DNA sequence: ACCTGAACACCGTTCAAGT
DNA sequence: ACCTGAACACCGTTCAAGT
C-alpha cells in the first residue's frame, strides 16, 4: 500500500495537526506529527519543504480566523482597537505557538492583511509614512509581547526572598492568568491609543 | 589528562561562550559549545544541569550589565523610562537570544531586580497593587515585543503584490534597522508613559 | 503522484572509567 | 572533583524502492 488513490495529506491537514500538537505539548517533532497523521515522517516531504514551512503554515492557520472590520467605524482609535484585539485574540488561542513564530520573516498573506488594515487606519488618521510605520511597529510589539505574556508558563515571575514588597504584593494581587492577560492587554492598548493621540503625525 | 588541577569550566564561562555562539549563529548546541570551550560535551554536566539551565544563565549575563537608577530622579515617568530603556538595551545587545528566553519562568535574580525597581517606581506614583502589576506587565510586554522586533530577521515583513500602498509606502520610509528599532522603541515608551498618566491608579 | 523504510549526520543526556 | 569517550534514544532530512 505505497500510494493511496486519494492522497492522505495536504498542507492544511499537516498544519492543523501540528497546531494541535503545539497546543498540547508546546512543541512538535516530525515523527510525532507523522504518527498523529498515521503516516511516516518522510511522507511529509511530499507536501511541505520541511519543518520551517510547517511553522509558517501554522501561523497562517492561527491568523485565518481574524475578522477585520469591513467599514470604518467611528474613529481610527476604534478601528485600530478592533484590529489589534482580533490579532491578539488569534495569537492567544494558540499561546504556545508564539515562541515558534518569532524568528521568521512574515510572508503569510493572512497575516500581512492585518498590517495592511493597520496602515490604512493610521493613514486615514493623518500619520505620514515614517510615523505610520512607527505606530504600526509599536502596536505590533505590544500585541506580540502581550501574547507572549499569555504564552508564558503559569508563573511568569518567581520572586525570591530578596524581592521587594512592592513587587510581591503586586504579584499576589493578580487574577488567574487567562482573565488577567486579557484585561491587562486591553488596558495597555487603551493606554497606547490615548498616548498616540498627542504624537505629531508628520 | 582526565582531571586538571584547575577546573577548565564554571557556569559563567559556559554562559559567556554560549552567548557568543547565539550572537553569531542565533542558536547553539552542546557539542558546538563544548568545542568552543575545548572540552567534551559531557563535561558541561559537571557544572550545569542541562541546556535549559544554560539558557537561564545567559539571561543573567545579558541582564547583568543593567544599571538601575540609584536615587529617584525628577518624576516616576523618568524613573520608569530609565529602567525600561536599560532593560531594552540589554536585550537588544543580544537580539537573537530573546526567542530562546520566552518559554521559561524568570528566576534570575538580576532580572527580577528590574521588576522590583519598576514596582517601587509605580508604587511611589500611587499605583495600587493590581494597577501596579498591570502597569509593569504593559511595560514588560512592550519592552519584550520591541526587543523581539530588533531580533527579527532584517526583513520583518515581506509585502507581496496585494499589499496595500499605505503599508508598502510606510515600509519604504523605514530607516536602517538598528537605528529605527531604537527610535521607535523610545517613541513607544513615551506614548505609553503619556497614556499611563490618565489611568486611574486604584 | 505519493507513501514507505532504511540510512545519514546530528542532537541532549547518562554513565562507567580515569586521575 | 572534574574530564573523557562510549552509549542511548531521538531528531530532521534524503533517497531508492514500491505502486
Amino acid at each position: 500500500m505505497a500510494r493511496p488513490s486519494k492522497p492522505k495529506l495536504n498542507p492544511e491537514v499537516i498544519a492543523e495537526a501540528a497546531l494541535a500538537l503545539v497546543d498540547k505539548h508546546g512543541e512538535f517533532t516530525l515523527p510525532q506529527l507523522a504518527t498523529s497523521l498515521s503516516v511516516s515522517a518522510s511522507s511529509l516531504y511530499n507536501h511541505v519543504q520541511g519543518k520551517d514551512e510547517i511553522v509558517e503554515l501554522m501561523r497562517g492557520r492561527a491568523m485565518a480566523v481574524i475578522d477585520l472590520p469591513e467599514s470604518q467605524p467611528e474613529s481610527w482609535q476604534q478601528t485600530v482597537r478592533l484590529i489589534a484585539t482580533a490579532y491578539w485574540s488569534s495569537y492567544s488561542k494558540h499561546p504556545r505557538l508564539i515562541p515558534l513564530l518569532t524568528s521568521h520573516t512574515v510572508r503569510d498573506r493572512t497575516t500581512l492583511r492585518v498590517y495592511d488594515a493597520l496602515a490604512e487606519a493610521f493613514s486615514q488618521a493623518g500619520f505620514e509614512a515614517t510615523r505610520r510605520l512607527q505606530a504600526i511597529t509599536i502596536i505590533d510589539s505590544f500585541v506580540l509581547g502581550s501574547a507572549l505574556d499569555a504564552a508564558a508558563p503559569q508563573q511568569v515571575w518567581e520572586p525570591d526572598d530578596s524581592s521587594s514588597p512592592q513587587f510581591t504584593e503586586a504579584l499576589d494581587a493578580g487574577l488567574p492568568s487567562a482573565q488577567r492577560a486579557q484585561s491587562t492587554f486591553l488596558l495597555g492598548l487603551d493606554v497606547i491609543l490615548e498616548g498616540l493621540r498627542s504624537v505629531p503625525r508628520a
Side-chain angles (χ1 to χ4, degrees), chain A:
Chain A
M1 199 262 287
R3 167 160 126 77
S5 56
K6 183 159 187 299
K8 307 168 76 171
L9 299 179
N10 60 56
E12 287 71 39
V13 166
I14 293 174
E16 210 59 52
L19 208 41
L21 283 176
V22 168
D23 284 344
K24 200 190 292 182
H25 303 116
E27 55 191 16
F28 78 103
T29 70
L30 298 195
Q32 274 171 15
L33 178 57
T35 300
S36 86
L37 289 163
S38 305
V39 110
S40 81
S42 51
S43 304
L44 299 168
Y45 287 81
N46 289 297
H47 304 270
V48 296
Q49 300 245 22
K51 192 172 187 181
D52 280 359
E53 187 181 331
I54 297 178
V55 170
E56 279 314 293
L57 288 170
M58 294 166 78
R59 189 203 298 274
R61 296 303 283 182
M63 289 298 115
V65 299
I66 288 191
D67 245 344
L68 293 179
E70 270 303 330
S71 63
Q72 305 298 338
E74 309 94 278
S75 62
W76 64 269
Q77 279 100 338
Q78 185 57 10
T79 307
V80 171
R81 195 190 333 267
L82 286 174
I83 299 168
T85 303
Y87 191 22
W88 180 86
S89 170
S90 321
Y91 270 152
S92 297
K93 275 177 198 135
H94 306 284
R96 310 179 79 175
L97 171 64
I98 307 171
L100 306 185
L101 299 180
T102 53
S103 316
H104 296 105
T105 297
V106 181
R107 287 193 180 77
D108 175 63
R109 185 91 287 272
T110 319
T111 310
L112 289 171
R113 269 177 52 240
V114 176
Y115 297 100
D116 287 338
L118 280 176
E120 284 169 42
F122 281 123
S123 176
Q124 281 203 323
F127 285 78
E128 297 298 330
T130 300
R131 283 287 177 217
R132 202 186 307 152
L133 182 59
Q134 289 180 313
I136 294 171
T137 302
I138 290 167
I139 297 282
D140 185 55
S141 297
F142 179 67
V143 169
L144 204 66
S146 299
L148 265 174
D149 186 59
Q154 332 73 320
Q155 280 272 38
V156 185
W157 298 299
E158 186 162 288
D160 58 23
D161 297 344
S162 69
S163 292
S164 75
Q166 290 92 337
F167 184 43
T168 52
E169 183 197 5
L171 283 177
D172 291 341
L175 306 167
S177 65
Q179 177 83 303
R180 172 169 53 88
Q182 155 121 340
S183 67
T184 302
F185 166 72
L186 291 174
L187 175 65
L189 185 56
D190 279 344
V191 162
I192 291 176
L193 290 172
E194 172 65 26
L196 276 178
R197 288 178 51 200
S198 48
V199 164
R201 304 186 185 182

